[in-house]
Amino acid sequence: MSFLFGNRSSKTFKPKKSLPEGSHQYELLKHAEATLGSGNLRMAVMLPDGEDLNEWVAVNTVDFFNQINMLYGTITDFCTEESCPVMSAGPKYEYHWADGTNIKKPIKCSAPKYIDYLMTWVQDQLDEETLFPSKIGVPFPKNFMSVAKTILKRLFRVYAHIYHQHFDSVIQLQEEAHLNTSFKHFIFFVQEFNLIDRREQAPLQELIEKLTSKDR
């Protein structure tokens, strides 16, 4: 699947975040990918024996960021200022953007603008060495888990927007199996470590039940 660079997506789309090859985090990602290959998503999200929880959450957060980046990249042509003047997940849920530093008071904006703000903000967090240390032996900060939870909560909103507003386009592109697998992996991960409040999951609750009920 390729990024839709060339049109406006090049403005919307962030470069893929990569983990340094040969690093412990890179090895952890390879472990995660190998376990995923077995097809058992519940097993794939579990903390590997002897590993640090912060590091495991960090590696998977980077991976989900890349996956969502790619999934949203396939539908940017359908998600426009005109088609999505507000960032929503169905009629009951609307999201307003604030990052606490540049934009302190939540602002109402279109979905492509919101997602651009969101992905830029996540990329900045992931690139922050004091928050997401890439070198072995550098400790994670005390607030790491709360930052990771905020990142994952916000990434969830991109899935929610895609499912509610663009699922027809996803089907048209024959990407639904890819989207469902990615989202299911994401949900199993956040459930395993209790990373997203249940209320935040409400826009996709029925889908979550459906996707996870087979694997109980």
Side-chain angles (χ1 to χ4, degrees):
M1 202 189 315
S2 64
F3 278 92
L4 304 179
F5 283 123
N7 57 14
R8 68 182 191 84
S9 315
S10 54
K11 294 200 294 286
T12 312
F13 267 91
K14 309 288 156 261
K16 189 169 177 180
K17 168 81 182 164
S18 56
L19 295 166
E21 208 160 325
S23 69
H24 184 59
Q25 293 187 359
Y26 182 81
E27 296 310 317
L28 269 182
L29 181 64
K30 288 281 157 257
H31 168 89
E33 284 168 358
T35 331
L36 273 175
S38 72
N40 186 333
L41 289 172
R42 284 251 185 245
M43 290 281 292
V45 299
M46 289 176 181
L47 180 67
D49 286 348
E51 292 299 344
D52 176 61
L53 178 60
N54 286 342
E55 195 141 41
W56 184 237
V57 169
V59 166
N60 281 278
T61 301
V62 169
D63 190 34
F64 289 126
F65 169 73
N66 288 334
Q67 284 185 44
I68 292 167
N69 226 342
M70 211 154 65
L71 287 163
Y72 183 69
T74 63
I75 56 117
T76 50
D77 284 352
F78 309 102
C79 186
T80 64
E81 301 281 328
E82 296 71 41
S83 68
C84 304
V86 292
M87 173 63 178
S88 63
K92 287 200 278 187
Y93 301 95
E94 190 177 301
Y95 301 115
H96 295 176
W97 178 255
D99 58 14
T101 46
N102 300 323
I103 301 171
K104 293 195 164 77
K105 198 170 176 215
I107 58 167
K108 189 170 179 168
C109 52
S110 68
K113 189 84 185 138
Y114 183 100
I115 291 169
D116 191 41
Y117 278 136
L118 189 158
M119 292 309 225
T120 303
W121 176 82
V122 175
Q123 178 92 47
D124 289 346
Q125 307 304 303
L126 300 182
D127 288 344
E128 179 52 64
E129 270 293 318
T130 58
L131 253 186
F132 279 79
S134 56
K135 296 178 183 68
I136 288 186
V138 177
F140 281 84
K142 287 193 169 61
N143 67 332
F144 170 75
M145 211 46 98
S146 71
V147 173
K149 285 178 177 181
T150 305
I151 291 173
L152 293 164
K153 174 180 79 177
R154 290 176 169 176
L155 289 176
F156 173 88
R157 294 170 181 178
V158 184
Y159 280 120
H161 179 72
I162 294 173
Y163 272 112
H164 277 283
Q165 311 302 131
H166 301 292
F167 198 61
D168 289 352
S169 304
V170 171
I171 289 171
Q172 203 181 319
L173 293 163
Q174 300 183 319
E175 292 289 349
E176 71 270 29
H178 188 77
L179 173 64
N180 287 342
T181 304
S182 172
F183 181 61
K184 191 172 173 178
H185 179 202
F186 179 88
I187 283 301
F188 280 174
F189 187 79
V190 299
Q191 285 180 347
E192 175 74 13
F193 303 105
N194 200 16
L195 298 168
I196 299 182
D197 197 293
R198 200 176 156 81
R199 280 175 320 198
E200 284 286 337
Q201 300 174 34
L204 294 177
Q205 199 52 54
E206 275 179 49
L207 176 69
I208 291 168
E209 291 293 327
K210 198 169 139 192
L211 288 176
T212 58
S213 61
K214 296 186 200 80
D215 295 81
R216 288 217 165 93

